[in-house]
Amino acid sequence: MKDPITISITGAAGNIGYALLFRIASGSVFGADQPVNLHLIEIEPALPALQGVVMELDDCAFPLLKNIVATADLAEGFKNADWALLVGSVPRKAGMERNDLLGINGKIFTGQGQAIAANAKPTCKTLVVGNPCNTNCLIAMSNATGLPKNQFFAMTRLDENRAKSQLAAKAGVHSSQVTNLCIWGNHSATQYPDFVHAKIDGKPVTEVISDREWLEGEFIATVQQRGAAIIKARGASSAASAANAALDTVMALSTPTAEGDWHSVAICSNGEYGIEPGIMASMPIRTKADGSWEVVEGLEIDDFSQGKIDATIAELKEERDAVKDLIPG
Ligand code: NDP
């Protein structure tokens, strides 16, 4: 049996946390031969609820779950972490401006970035789910002194999965037949689900779905507004699909990407596709056999796509500027 790996999760008593933990503990994420330790991090008021989650984890008697830590202490929570899943963040309340939210959450991610750098393994990978996730991730990465920037990610996989499911439904195929779907930019209403490079059964989507007006209009709007549509329908946010996408991201970054395909996740730009270096932007990513990753470069970007990418990157720059006091150096 392998040595256990440690997964630290903030917001562990929340809705997404509840949908995440049991799948990690069951072995369905890291494999049936990989024991795990779960470090569950919550704010003090949520510790009693977290205790209930721990009781349920105990009651599952998962063979692969070795140790559970439930804590509000970041140093203890991130100790020896192999993965840090930053899920907890303060939700936007009525009357709150976006910049207020950026500032409130920014302070949380400053401390978490520092605590990861001080306590986690030097190889720890961090995935930010809590919104606004791109900018929260930028803050965590910038404050995690000593850790490589390429170990920080923000989640856009839910948008990718939503886009694949919409294209599959329109084409009358299964979602697994849709590949090469890249989400560009921010996990927000400005994100661009790139149908130009996406494929269905290896053919360009634009050949399979000839309705360009639908692709440019309703398709993009449906993906961008999907979270709001789910809240309207079920009266609660899309926690299960968000948790699923977080785990898809972890797996996609842990296993080699299928030949010719890519997956979407926000990473710190090095200037690829003309995106300003230092911006945490979603792009097409391939995970290599040695576990490292690279941006898929050389895709031709048409004028329509460029306009959409420019808009979402402009929003990310605004967000970065709003939190510049929280970014050292
Ligand atoms: P959820 O578990 O439902 O959501 C957590 C975060 O994930 C939110 O920022 C949410 O953004 C984001 N998110 C990303 N994608 C999605 C998606 N598709 N659907 C829904 N949410 C998405 O929130 P809960 O309120 O149930 O739980 C949050 C937990 O975090 C609480 O237990 C709380 O105690 C904890 N917390 C921890 C903090 C910390 O670590 N310092 C700070 C604040 C809270 P959005 O709000 O935009 O939906």
Side-chain angles (χ1 to χ4, degrees), residues 75-287:
E76 186 186 14
F78 290 120
K79 187 91 197 142
N80 287 331
D82 293 278
W83 273 95
L85 306 181
L86 308 187
V87 178
S89 70
V90 175
R92 187 161 165 173
K93 300 191 185 82
M96 198 189 267
E97 296 294 330
R98 196 170 55 148
N99 282 0
D100 298 337
L101 186 68
L102 285 165
I104 292 167
N105 280 312
K107 292 194 187 75
I108 295 170
F109 286 83
T110 306
Q112 292 184 353
Q114 290 164 350
I116 291 167
N119 297 284
K121 290 196 182 137
T123 51
C124 177
K125 292 179 186 162
T126 297
L127 172 67
V128 180
V129 175
N131 282 317
C133 65
N134 296 55
T135 298
N136 289 341
C137 187
L138 175 68
I139 294 166
M141 179 189 78
S142 306
N143 286 279
T145 311
L147 287 187
K149 288 186 168 33
N150 65 5
Q151 290 172 200
F152 285 81
F153 309 92
M155 183 172 94
T156 53
R157 180 60 179 252
L158 181 55
D159 308 305
E160 175 188 327
N161 289 349
R162 286 168 170 169
K164 283 179 168 171
S165 128
Q166 292 301 316
L167 291 174
K170 181 76 172 176
V173 301
H174 190 265
S175 53
S176 59
Q177 291 164 261
V178 185
T179 61
N180 301 84
L181 196 299
C182 170
I183 301 294
W184 293 92
N186 201 0
H187 170 67
S188 76
T190 66
Q191 61 164 286
Y192 172 48
D194 181 352
F195 59 82
V196 176
H197 294 101
K199 293 179 183 165
I200 294 177
D201 283 332
K203 291 196 206 105
V205 159
T206 46
E207 276 177 27
V208 181
I209 300 172
S210 54
D211 187 351
R212 178 93 192 190
E213 200 181 315
W214 180 83
L215 287 168
E216 289 188 6
E218 196 179 326
F219 163 66
I220 295 177
T222 302
V223 176
Q224 289 175 338
Q225 304 302 331
R226 187 72 164 177
I230 289 169
I231 291 175
K232 191 163 172 236
R234 70 182 289 267
S237 71
S238 45
S241 50
N244 178 67
L247 300 178
D248 278 352
T249 310
V250 169
M251 288 188 276
L253 288 166
S254 307
T255 48
T257 309
E259 189 62 35
D261 202 0
W262 54 72
H263 60 95
S264 305
V265 64
I267 49 94
C268 182
S269 167
N270 275 313
E272 297 90 350
Y273 295 98
I275 296 168
E276 186 178 317
I279 293 286
M280 192 61 71
S282 183
M283 299 188 212
I285 301 294
R286 286 185 54 77
T287 305

